[in-house]
Amino acid sequence: MNNESKLFRFGLLFTLPATAIFLLFNYYPFISSLYYSFTQWDGINKPIFIGLKNYTDLFHDQAMLHGALHTLYIVVFGVIISNPLSLLLALLLDKPFRTKAILRTAFYLPVIISLVVVSIVWNFLLKYDGVINAVQTGLGLGSYTQDWLGNIHFALGMIILISVWQGTGFGAVIYLAGLQSIPKEILEAAELDGASGWRKVVYLIIPLIMPVVTICTFFGLVGSLKMFDLPYVLTNGGPGDATLTMAHAIYNFAFVNQTYGYSTAAGIVFMIICVIVTTIQLRITRKMEVEM
């Protein structure tokens, strides 16, 4: 046996513990989840194999269907509103002015605050006897007083607006890094050629930072798809199921209804949806990078 073979075997021997731990905590749970998704299981008693029944039931489950629809709203409106706002904020913060550092910190601050804390603060602001309604009443706008989180027509919109407020600063920091990576010579040459204002942004800056647009869109998409904390703490999916998301519905299947096999099947379907959506998004935006 030559020295290279000995070194290779020693290398395998030293990596064996790490490999075993990785397989134990990554692949084993996933394979177990696949098995449990085909069973009726309450988390305590022995699982009963029921084939595809969990999966077929999911497509007729109103909680799952409503959760999917609300998640779709959060994804579409969240990404459409948050992404342009992040870029606009980054363009403003890229300008030279004295309070630039303070404002960058202030806009990024909501990102580092726990979503649970954010939810509690916004609940204090939006509840019927909260600050916003008190301010409206003080300004003589008492007729517009609403239970913003208890009204079926406003609750989901409030969740979307709060998520946009909380996530815009994160996207702005990424866009700001992209803007600062553009060589100043290119921008100066464009200005000499007459490019200014929105024309410079649309035809020069955005094409140059398309990889950053891809990253921001991806993070926004994933964050919206797995939305759980805000609706759970603010409304617990209510009123009714007006703010129930897919992640929240899966949580309820497991920890409220004690149907762990059914919840596992829902989780696997949710994972597949996330993979499909993010793959499509990455292909579209990466193609735009090449074309631009």
Side-chain angles (χ1 to χ4, degrees), residues 124-198:
F124 177 73
L125 295 173
L126 292 171
K127 61 185 180 178
Y128 189 78
D129 57 347
V131 174
I132 290 177
N133 283 337
V135 171
Q136 285 188 160
T137 303
L139 294 173
L141 301 173
S143 58
Y144 295 99
T145 298
Q146 294 284 343
D147 186 359
W148 300 102
L149 297 173
N151 189 313
I152 194 171
H153 301 294
F154 292 104
L156 185 61
M158 292 298 105
I159 296 293
I160 293 171
L161 288 177
I162 294 168
S163 68
V164 168
W165 169 83
Q166 198 267 339
T168 297
F170 176 75
V173 168
I174 299 177
Y175 277 125
L176 192 59
L179 291 172
Q180 292 179 347
S181 69
I182 300 174
K184 298 296 182 184
E185 296 79 8
I186 295 177
L187 297 176
E188 290 171 359
E191 289 172 359
L192 289 173
D193 288 338
S196 61
W198 69 271

Side-chain angles (χ1 to χ4, degrees), residues 202-282:
V202 173
Y203 296 109
L204 179 65
I205 292 177
I206 291 179
L208 287 173
I209 62 167
M210 268 309 296
V212 180
V213 175
T214 298
I215 293 170
C216 282
T217 306
F218 176 79
F219 280 125
L221 200 61
V222 171
S224 298
L225 281 169
K226 64 184 183 69
M227 177 72 67
F228 173 78
D229 311 64
L230 281 176
Y232 178 74
V233 178
L234 281 170
T235 62
N236 196 26
D241 62 357
T243 58
L244 187 71
T245 62
M246 288 186 73
H248 194 175
I250 294 167
Y251 171 89
N252 287 341
F253 295 152
F255 299 106
V256 177
N257 302 338
Q258 304 294 313
T259 51
Y260 288 94
Y262 189 65
S263 174
T264 305
I268 289 172
V269 170
F270 182 47
M271 180 196 70
I272 293 170
I273 291 172
C274 290
V275 170
I276 292 172
V277 171
T278 53
T279 301
I280 292 171
Q281 177 262 313
L282 288 172

Side-chain angles (χ1 to χ4, degrees), residues 105-139:
T105 304
F107 283 115
Y108 190 73
L109 193 60
V111 180
I112 61 176
I113 300 174
S114 165
L115 275 173
V116 175
V117 175
V118 168
S119 303
I120 293 170
V121 171
W122 276 100
N123 182 59
F124 177 73
L125 295 173
L126 292 171
K127 61 185 180 178
Y128 189 78
D129 57 347
V131 174
I132 290 177
N133 283 337
V135 171
Q136 285 188 160
T137 303
L139 294 173

